[in-house]
Each structure stands twice: as structure tokens, then as C-alpha cells.
Amino acid sequence: MDAEELDELARRLQGRALSGGGLLQLAAATGLAAYAVWAAVLMPGFRRVPLRLQVPYVPSSAQQVANVMALLEGRSGKTADLGSGDGRLVIAAYKQGLRPAVGYELNPWLLRLSSYRAWKAGCNGQVSFLKQDLWKVNLSDCYNVTVFLAPSVKPPLAAKLLAELPDEARVVAGRFPFPSWTPTSTIGKGLDQVWAYDMKKVRQAAQSSMEGSPV
């Protein structure tokens, strides 16, 4: 696949949520035979993930990206996007000085698209896109985490973040908040709303809740 074909793929993916069938239709429309063969057996990474933890690819809007970056303004340290899709949040984080910036994604074609977008943005080799299962990644060295994931994923992910992230970390969620956490701040409305959670405050609230619960 050359740069012109990747550019066409990026334009067609913009603003679309794609299932395995949608990916196949996209492949047929763009003439990407190899991509069609891959899509016909569904997303390889998804086949190894329990159904309730699978998350379809839905690109973040420009306003969503801007809102996330606003809640990370002035911060530093390693930044990870869980389920990084086409890489736009990772690239935006890097440009804002949040480094190293890493995206974790299982879909090999989205990883390739992410690398292409990084190249177009002038930060090829400066950001990382890793084919790793977010449930198996150790996040203990991350100080900024962004998540645009489905509601069904939030409860088990909350447990993982509580167990691994340092107190100084901030988590920014888009589209859907963490149901059991109280946000430190929020910005935007509707689909563009994002929520920030400081792990130290989340842990303090969890501890207070446990202490106040009847035995």
C-alpha cells in the first residue's frame, strides 16, 4: 500500500465507526485486496479479546481531541492512549509536549495508518504505536492516560488503572465517563465532553467509601 492509498484510507475512515463488515466494504471500495482478505476473517486482535471488552473503531473528532489536550495542559510525563485507533490523540499529545507518547492498539491496519499519520505530522519516529493488548500492558510508568472506550469496558479498566497508575497520574476519558469515579474536571458537551480524573483523588474517594461501608 503506497502513500496515496493510505491517504485515501485515512479520508474514508474519518468520522466512521467500522465493524468487521464495514472494514470489508471499505476494502472493496478502495481496491485493497489484501486488506479485504484480512477483514473477511474480522479484526485479528478482536478474536483474542472477550466480546464484552471489544471496542469498535470510532475516530475522535477534532473537538474531542482539543478538549482532551485542554485537560492535559501543563502536564508532563509518559502519555498512553489505550486503544489508540488511527493515532490522532498520541500525535496531539506529542505536539503538546507530553513525551514519550505511546498508543496501544491491536488492529494492525490502524497501527499502519497511525504511523502514516505520524509521518504526515512530522513526528515519525518520535511517537510509538505498539501492537499490545491494553489489558496486558503495565501502566505503572504512565502519568497521563487517555481512553475513548465503550461503557462496558470502563468498570474492569477502572480496576486496572487503580492497581497500576501512580498517584500523580491523570486519566482523561472521552464519550463515556467512569461510572464509579468523580471527575476532577470536565469540559465540552454532548459527544465532545471529556472527563479528567486525578488518581490520588480517585484513590482517596475509594478509600473513604470503603471506610464508610458497613461491615
Side-chain angles (χ1 to χ4, degrees), residues 77-142:
K78 182 177 179 178
T79 300
D81 185 23
L82 307 183
S84 54
D86 62 13
R88 63 187 66 194
L89 279 170
V90 175
I91 294 169
Y94 175 81
K95 289 183 174 181
Q96 189 163 298
L98 297 168
R99 305 171 185 177
V102 182
Y104 296 103
E105 175 61 57
L106 283 176
N107 186 312
W109 292 95
L110 288 176
L111 287 168
R112 191 168 183 178
L113 180 58
S114 297
S115 296
Y116 172 68
R117 290 177 64 90
W119 172 75
K120 286 197 70 174
C123 51
N124 186 42
Q126 306 301 313
V127 295
S128 300
F129 299 103
L130 306 178
K131 187 182 179 183
Q132 293 185 28
D133 186 341
L134 66 87
W135 302 104
K136 299 178 181 178
V137 173
N138 188 329
L139 301 172
S140 60
D141 62 344
C142 296

Side-chain angles (χ1 to χ4, degrees), residues 22-65:
L23 288 168
L24 184 56
Q25 291 176 0
L26 173 64
T30 55
L32 306 179
Y35 190 71
V37 171
W38 170 85
V41 294
L42 300 180
M43 302 178 183
F46 269 29
R47 291 182 296 172
R48 298 190 295 273
V49 179
L51 182 62
R52 72 185 181 87
L53 299 183
Q54 293 181 8
V55 181
Y57 168 58
V58 182
S60 303
S61 69
Q63 188 59 58
Q64 287 171 338
V65 173

Side-chain angles (χ1 to χ4, degrees), residues 10-32:
R11 287 195 297 270
R12 288 173 177 263
L13 285 174
Q14 175 72 31
R16 296 178 61 182
L18 299 178
S19 61
L23 288 168
L24 184 56
Q25 291 176 0
L26 173 64
T30 55
L32 306 179

Side-chain angles (χ1 to χ4, degrees), residues 83-214:
S84 54
D86 62 13
R88 63 187 66 194
L89 279 170
V90 175
I91 294 169
Y94 175 81
K95 289 183 174 181
Q96 189 163 298
L98 297 168
R99 305 171 185 177
V102 182
Y104 296 103
E105 175 61 57
L106 283 176
N107 186 312
W109 292 95
L110 288 176
L111 287 168
R112 191 168 183 178
L113 180 58
S114 297
S115 296
Y116 172 68
R117 290 177 64 90
W119 172 75
K120 286 197 70 174
C123 51
N124 186 42
Q126 306 301 313
V127 295
S128 300
F129 299 103
L130 306 178
K131 187 182 179 183
Q132 293 185 28
D133 186 341
L134 66 87
W135 302 104
K136 299 178 181 178
V137 173
N138 188 329
L139 301 172
S140 60
D141 62 344
C142 296
Y143 289 88
N144 307 287
V145 175
T146 57
V147 290
F148 275 70
L149 301 175
S152 62
V153 176
K154 293 296 174 65
L157 182 59
K160 175 179 173 64
L161 298 175
L162 276 170
E164 296 181 4
L165 290 179
D167 277 348
E168 299 82 7
R170 168 168 282 197
V171 177
V172 178
R175 298 197 184 101
F176 305 101
F178 283 89
S180 61
W181 292 0
T182 300
T184 304
S185 56
T186 184
I187 187 174
K189 296 181 179 180
L191 291 177
D192 291 329
Q193 186 171 8
V194 296
W195 298 262
Y197 305 89
D198 292 331
M199 291 311 298
K200 185 174 182 178
K201 292 183 179 180
V202 170
R203 287 194 176 98
Q204 289 173 341
Q207 183 64 33
S208 297
S209 178
M210 290 178 61
E211 292 174 351
S213 299

